[in-house]
Amino acid sequence: MSVDEDSRWLEWVTKQFESIAGDDKEINLEEFKTALKVKESFFAERFFALFDSDGSSSISLDELLKALDLLIHGSETDKLKFLFQVYDVDGSGSIDPDELKTVLKSCLRESAISLPEEKLDDLTLALFESADKDNSGSITFEELKAELEAFPEVMENLTISAANWLKPPDLDQKKRQTPRYLTRSYWHKNSRKLLFLCMYTCLNVLLFVGAMLYHRPGGGWYMVAKGCGQCLNFNCTFVMVLMLRRCLTWLRATWVVRVLPLDQNILLHQIVGCAILGFSVVHTAAHVFNFVRLSESGDYSVWEYLLTTSPGIGWVKGSASVTGVVLQFLICLMVLCSSTFVRRSGHFEVFYWSHLSYIWVWALLVVHCANFWKWFVVPGLVFLLEKIVGIAISRMGGLYIVEVSLLPSKVTHLVLRRPQFFHFKPGDYVYINIPVIAKYEWHPFTISSAPEQPDTLWLHIRSMGQWTNRLYEYFRQPVSETVSPRQLATSLRKRRQLMQTQEELFNSADDNGAVASNEDDAVELTMYRQNGCHSGVAPIQGPGEPLSDALGPAERGEAPPLRDISAKLGETHRFCNIKCYIDGPYGTPTRQIFASEHAVLIGAGIGITPFASILQSIMYRYRRRKQNCPNCNYSWCENIKDSEMKLRKVDFIWINRDQKSFEWFVSLLTKLEMDQADEEPEGRFLEMHMYMTSALSKNDMKAIGLQMALDLLAKKEKRDSITGLRTRTQPGRPEWGKVFQKLSEENKGKVHVFYCGAPALAKVIKAQCEHFGFNFYKENF
């Protein structure tokens, strides 16, 4: 940070102090917490004690500014001494293990990380043993300094500025970079969309001008109304064309995808919807003004022109005005209920049901305008055909939900019996209807299983709205004690099949490779199985393998007694036989991934769902290239490009707010890590990058000790303490500039970035992609 930023920060501190301090011009501990917005008591008390130089249990402005001035203008040693004093709770001149544990425990609370007491002890010992060079049982200042010097990124952060030591949240503002619409890079990356929008705008202008000139004898307002009406004829049809999902899915597999922006059909649909609202408002207003003019010299009043059929305006019994008023109301309602604050605030049903009024809009448009049917007939027939095909497919055969797992973060995992002729690609989505939840509602969700998985379809659904919450609560209810004989027979049959599978797997463990070949692999496999069981996460099976091969210890031959399995199934996992219907699959931009050489998958929160299918499919194809030496444990992957997959490198970035959000997906990621070959010609094929935004980053003094301890323990155990993966979970948010710079330096081919998550983050990532020349794809449906 610059000197100017430091000065502004000191000015902020002074204002905060003056606004809170009383007549005595001093602040106590509680007022100190309020002034600097420090939420953790331990750090607040340590900072206060160090700033209170005279030991008066209060801090004057001079004392505060003197201490902060030392942090700003002091040397590296001065700052290290301050850090040492924070950790040296009893002021003895050294840090003992109990003091270090107290500090790390406060760091965990500050970062919203929950670890068992045993893991906290491991972290404490890892950092203490590394820092205590002379094995004296305490850490001196020189030893702490030497330990910090082993972490260059920490030393770098200590020297940049004092504003990172006691940084108030209000000053942690991100510099938002808006896309530079006039730059060559922006036009190059968005050329198809911009060209399409230019053609769309020109067509509307031509239609508007042509209709105005044709109706010139009617006067100015009449000309404007007719011009807008002609544009509405086109747009009210085109808005439907943009949502012909089956046609668009088919076109994505052709050369058309290289010419038209098919992957942005949702954005274009929204733009056309806004254009319809604008044209309809101007069209209505122009007619009102024209009616005012006519009423001054005619036999009818303005209200009679607007709300009755008496003037005889229109081709169906003079109903143009009345239908126009109803149409204007419906269009405004649809646009309002389609806004982001409605859809994203847990009221998706409002959007869904209001959008179904498009049927009435089209019917009224046919009655309202004599020429609309000419625009509508061909696209309308295609739309109707799509609907008929969708209904036929969804009703064809019996489709049932056969398993349900309730995962952490209120995620519902549905396992559906896959129809025999149902074919999809990684990243595709379907609309699902579950009559027991809502008889007439259809909701879109990404398929999270791989296409290579033959018998089942998976959906992972986060509880974020009314329908998804009803779904979660429905399966959270305990199973009824009273069951029919048929249900009981089905349940017993499934349990026997499960037990038989367990016994077969247990007896053949040595043959199918379930037994680890060395001590490290044994520990790793044991940890993986334990994570799959004790975390309550339903393991995600690998592509192309039976469900039993992916189950945790309770299902893979290391099972506890059956009564324990039943208890577990009753709480978070159950077998069922619930009727449902699906419409799809429909394609998304992620279909481009296998044509990429270097793919970067970025998911935020539940936005990881599309990549579950993609990662499983990628690793399925990767396994076919994997070679194993028959005489040893050495494995490698042949780097062969084929028609199915051109990928040379995959980077997977997952951003979550808290620790719990990682739990439901960890089992799959663990398996993907274990599937990686030992050696590869061009480095690791799949690299994972995990970020936890609630955790304090390494440039925050309150997190330095914790992050050092996590790094040391991860190197020792070869496993991250937060997720249990080999990949270390990084604290805070990604520094996208540095992340993308590193990706560009790998030279693995053209980089394609695929994103699914919050729209705000999409803008940031897209701007970075434009800067580095990467192709950007956003998941939309």
Side-chain angles (χ1 to χ4, degrees), residues 634-666:
Y634 185 81
S635 63
W636 71 96
C637 181
E638 294 182 351
N639 188 18
I640 303 173
K641 293 184 181 180
D642 54 41
S643 58
E644 289 188 6
M645 187 169 74
K646 298 180 181 178
L647 282 169
R648 297 169 56 192
K649 177 72 183 298
V650 177
D651 281 277
F652 171 61
I653 302 173
W654 192 14
I655 307 160
N656 268 315
R657 177 174 178 80
D658 51 42
Q659 179 183 2
K660 195 173 182 181
S661 300
F662 287 100
E663 293 177 355
W664 69 273
F665 200 56
V666 162

Side-chain angles (χ1 to χ4, degrees), residues 341-355:
F341 76 88
V342 173
R343 290 184 290 111
R344 301 293 182 185
S345 59
H347 300 288
F348 182 84
E349 287 77 5
V350 175
F351 159 76
Y352 177 81
W353 287 109
S354 64
H355 236 59

Side-chain angles (χ1 to χ4, degrees), residues 18 48 53 86 98 108 110 176 190 244 315 352 364-365 385 439 442 453 541 574 745:
E18 292 175 347
F48 187 85
S53 57
V86 171
D98 290 330
L108 287 171
E110 192 76 25
R176 304 196 176 200
N190 297 276
L244 295 174
W315 74 299
Y352 177 81
L364 289 170
L365 279 170
L385 181 62
K439 190 172 183 179
W442 294 77
Q453 189 173 316
Q541 73 195 79
R574 69 170 70 170
E745 292 171 355

Side-chain angles (χ1 to χ4, degrees), residues 608-622:
I608 195 65
T609 308
F611 304 134
S613 173
I614 292 168
L615 287 172
Q616 290 178 89
S617 186
I618 287 174
M619 294 311 294
Y620 175 86
R621 303 179 192 203
Y622 169 85

